[in-house]
Amino acid sequence: MPDMVPSGARPTILVVEDEVPLLTLLRYNLEKQGFRVEEASDGQEALLRVAETKPDLVLLDWMLPQLSGLEVCRQLRRRPATRDLPIIMVTARTEQQDSVRALDIGADDYISKPFAMDGLLARIRALLRRAGSVATRGTLAFRDLSMDQDAHRVSRNGRALHLGPTEYRLLEFLMQHPGRVFAREQLLDAVWGRDIHVEPRTVDVHVRRLRKAINGPGEDDVIRTVRSAGYALDVETG
């Protein structure tokens, strides 16, 4: 799975959010990436959950019942045990002075609703790496293809490749299993997730896009189509 937490390292994210649909969405996406998720629906509960679970990061809504997210952040920063706890403030407020206020109170980062999930996940991973909670993931390589998983960059023969999010995840999965043939259904489960309903032929569309992005003039096609079976990161021989 793309950008997943390495095996054996499952940081805990405390999501403090009183909007149930958003809470459910965040839990789904965070767990899909390999994080353990705890929940709190108001400011008082958030402080209790931090003491109980000792999370690695807090995703903290600004507007909360009981205590505001700002007050929760302020109290956590006053306590020696949570002085350095990574905190991302999430809010519908978009004024620049609001972000400045959140950062001044002690939040490490600030993101406004609505937000792109990929962007939020990238911020979470960056903060956890800085805090030492997630090990760096290194580089994947196949022939002249190279993928820096931490920088989220792909290159071939030294030239940068520009991939969409789905093509990136597809290539990452294939590079983790070079030479192995995967059926469309297996790729759907691995890249899109078991709970996402997507037609198997969608895989063909994204494979075509991936080929176009990574195969330059005169370069071998590194994605092999196996008739009636699926696709592999491999090169035709003979």
Side-chain angles (χ1 to χ4, degrees):
M1 295 296 291
D3 293 317
M4 287 185 66
V5 177
S7 176
R10 281 174 51 83
T12 298
I13 310 295
L14 174 62
V15 180
V16 187
E17 174 60 62
D18 63 330
E19 295 180 22
V20 175
L22 180 55
L23 181 61
T24 302
L25 179 66
L26 288 167
R27 171 181 279 280
Y28 170 79
N29 281 278
L30 289 168
E31 289 182 341
K32 186 178 177 181
Q33 295 298 311
F35 295 107
R36 183 164 40 246
V37 178
E38 298 290 339
E39 300 176 359
S41 58
D42 63 61
Q44 292 285 11
E45 185 184 4
L47 294 173
L48 290 174
R49 298 294 283 167
V50 167
E52 291 171 355
T53 64
K54 296 180 173 60
D56 296 285
L57 182 144
V58 178
L59 198 57
L60 181 61
D61 188 33
W62 182 312
M63 305 298 290
L64 291 169
Q66 307 296 333
L67 289 177
S68 72
L70 281 182
E71 183 57 29
V72 172
C73 184
R74 184 182 289 111
Q75 291 196 29
L76 290 174
R77 289 296 179 245
R78 288 174 179 166
R79 301 175 182 180
T82 54
R83 187 170 293 143
D84 298 319
L85 175 64
I87 298 173
I88 298 178
M89 190 75 73
V90 182
T91 180
R93 304 167 70 106
T94 58
E95 296 297 326
Q96 183 176 356
Q97 58 263 35
D98 292 328
S99 63
V100 171
R101 187 178 175 197
L103 297 173
D104 283 345
I105 289 295
D108 296 282
D109 204 347
Y110 177 101
I111 189 166
S112 298
K113 301 176 185 177
F115 50 80
M117 193 60 64
D118 284 349
L120 176 61
L121 291 170
R123 292 173 187 231
I124 288 172
R125 287 190 294 268
L127 268 179
L128 289 175
R129 280 197 297 271
R130 278 162 43 192
S133 299
V134 172
T136 56
R137 303 171 59 230
T139 301
L140 296 174
F142 177 78
R143 291 169 63 97
D144 51 5
L145 265 177
S146 179
M147 174 178 283
D148 184 334
Q149 294 172 287
D150 291 305
H152 214 74
R153 290 181 180 142
V154 182
S155 61
R156 184 168 186 181
N157 281 321
R159 82 176 184 283
L161 303 179
H162 303 287
L163 307 181
T166 302
E167 286 72 38
Y168 180 93
R169 294 195 298 268
L170 179 60
L171 179 61
E172 182 176 42
F173 181 74
L174 291 172
M175 290 184 76
Q176 289 168 341
H177 308 279
R180 180 175 168 184
V181 179
F182 290 96
R184 292 180 181 88
E185 291 76 11
Q186 291 175 304
L187 292 172
L188 284 174
D189 286 346
V191 177
W192 281 262
R194 293 179 184 272
D195 298 324
I196 304 299
H197 300 291
V198 180
E199 288 294 322
R201 290 293 174 182
T202 300
V203 174
D204 300 336
V205 174
H206 288 282
V207 167
R208 285 198 298 271
R209 291 178 183 172
L210 181 58
R211 277 187 166 129
K212 184 176 180 180
I214 66 177
N215 296 324
E219 294 176 333
D220 291 331
D221 183 357
V222 293
I223 299 178
R224 181 165 60 97
T225 300
V226 182
R227 186 172 296 178
S228 301
Y231 298 101
L233 189 71
D234 204 352
V235 177
E236 297 282 357
T237 58

